[in-house]
Amino acid sequence: MPHDPDPSLRLLWRHAAPEQERPRRRGPKQRLTVDEVVDAAIELADAEGLDALSMRGLAGRLGLAAMTLYTYVPSRKDLIVLMVDQALGRTALPELPDEPRRRLELVARVEYDDCRAHPWLLDAAGVRPWLGPNAADRYEWQLTAVDGLGLGDLETDQTVALLVGFAGNIARAEQRVRHAEHESGMTEREWWEANAGTLGELMAGRSYPLAGRVGQAVGEAYQAAGDPARELEFGLARIIDGVLAHAAGTAPRHEPPAPESYHQR
């Protein structure tokens, strides 16, 4: 059964579409532009998180009646789609260097920096941001960074997904640390200092030789249970080592199982 086109598509491409294809509305001229509405939503989400974003609250912030906001954007979900693409468009994509390692690093670092600047991007689940012009430009740039390594088209796409996913996970780990510190009012180091004695009592009689040795080394190095910044550097270097070795044919190749095999387990 055929489905109707996604209504957010014409809004996403409102600046790129031919004049006759651009969204139109009847009635008096609107006081704000769609860009201004989306910018205000991004500002709110940057400050308070995506959960704080509501159509009614945003309308009040803009001095609009709640129902008036729906003349700009059909729904909150559509608004989030526009926010994702507009936020991505704020980042000027750097020129890609010749050296393959540096190109792959840039793919991850641009994603990491955007997720740190706009943490709510990590919570924008259930949207299809790659359908917008800025996301499309970024995907082309990411593919260009990987192109030339000798990978097939599917592996090129999977390499982009691997780099972007890893960078997002590190940004999410940092976000969790900041949230925990905000909720507890203590830094990671302060929390461990306050709870080390109690943990020692509760864990007495149990033997964790490896965890004890590694945990002590981590605590001394990081003054915390982890260091996402160092994890980014280590993990990114190892991922790129693997991708380049795979592309050069020096790494053992293991074909992933077909999707059906997961359902047969």
Side-chain angles (χ1 to χ4, degrees):
M1 179 179 178
H3 297 280
D4 293 333
D6 192 317
S8 65
L9 282 176
R10 292 194 184 280
L11 276 173
L12 273 169
W13 292 86
R14 60 193 178 278
H15 297 305
E19 182 66 30
Q20 64 271 21
E21 295 292 332
R22 295 184 184 180
R24 299 179 181 276
R25 66 178 296 275
R26 297 178 180 178
K29 183 178 180 180
Q30 293 173 309
R31 181 168 60 84
L32 301 172
T33 65
V34 173
D35 284 352
E36 289 170 330
V37 170
V38 177
D39 281 339
I42 292 174
E43 182 181 350
L44 176 59
D46 284 348
E48 302 179 31
L50 203 59
D51 287 345
L53 177 67
S54 69
M55 297 294 276
R56 183 177 296 277
L58 180 62
R61 190 183 184 96
L62 292 169
L64 300 173
M67 294 308 297
T68 301
L69 188 58
Y70 290 96
T71 67
Y72 292 89
V73 184
S75 69
R76 181 178 183 273
K77 182 179 179 180
D78 292 321
L79 175 61
I80 293 173
V81 171
L82 297 176
M83 290 166 60
V84 170
D85 197 72
Q86 197 147 307
L88 295 182
R90 292 181 177 183
T91 298
L93 297 173
E95 184 177 349
L96 291 168
D98 294 331
E99 209 276 306
R101 178 173 291 273
R102 287 285 299 118
R103 296 205 307 269
L104 298 183
E105 285 179 354
L106 274 177
V107 171
R109 293 188 190 283
V110 166
E111 182 73 16
Y112 171 73
D113 289 344
D114 272 350
C115 289
R116 293 195 75 205
H118 308 289
W120 54 269
L121 286 171
L122 297 166
D123 301 320
V127 302
R128 294 182 171 89
W130 59 86
L131 293 176
N134 293 313
D137 289 347
R138 174 165 301 197
Y139 183 52
E140 182 70 18
W141 176 83
Q142 292 167 335
L143 293 175
T144 302
V146 181
D147 191 41
L149 295 182
L151 301 174
D153 288 348
L154 290 181
E155 288 185 332
T156 296
D157 173 78
Q158 289 163 354
T159 298
V160 169
L162 177 62
L163 293 167
V164 168
F166 174 71
N169 283 336
I170 294 294
R172 190 182 299 278
E174 286 189 342
Q175 186 181 24
R176 285 196 295 263
V177 170
R178 289 193 298 268
H179 179 74
E181 290 181 346
H182 176 75
E183 290 293 308
S184 67
M186 294 183 286
T187 65
E188 278 263 290
R189 180 176 182 177
E190 290 170 340
W191 189 93
W192 282 104
E193 288 176 346
N195 291 280
T198 301
L199 280 171
E201 294 173 9
L202 295 172
M203 296 172 69
R206 293 177 178 267
S207 178
Y208 299 105
L210 285 175
R213 188 189 78 210
V214 173
Q216 181 177 350
V218 167
E220 290 174 355
Y222 301 160
Q223 298 298 304
D227 185 339
R230 293 196 194 188
E231 291 161 12
L232 173 69
E233 299 303 323
F234 178 83
L236 184 55
R238 301 293 76 77
I239 288 171
I240 294 175
D241 286 344
V243 169
L244 294 179
H246 177 75
T250 59
R253 291 178 178 258
H254 301 284
E255 291 298 326
E260 291 77 13
S261 66
Y262 292 103
H263 302 293
Q264 294 169 358
R265 292 177 182 175

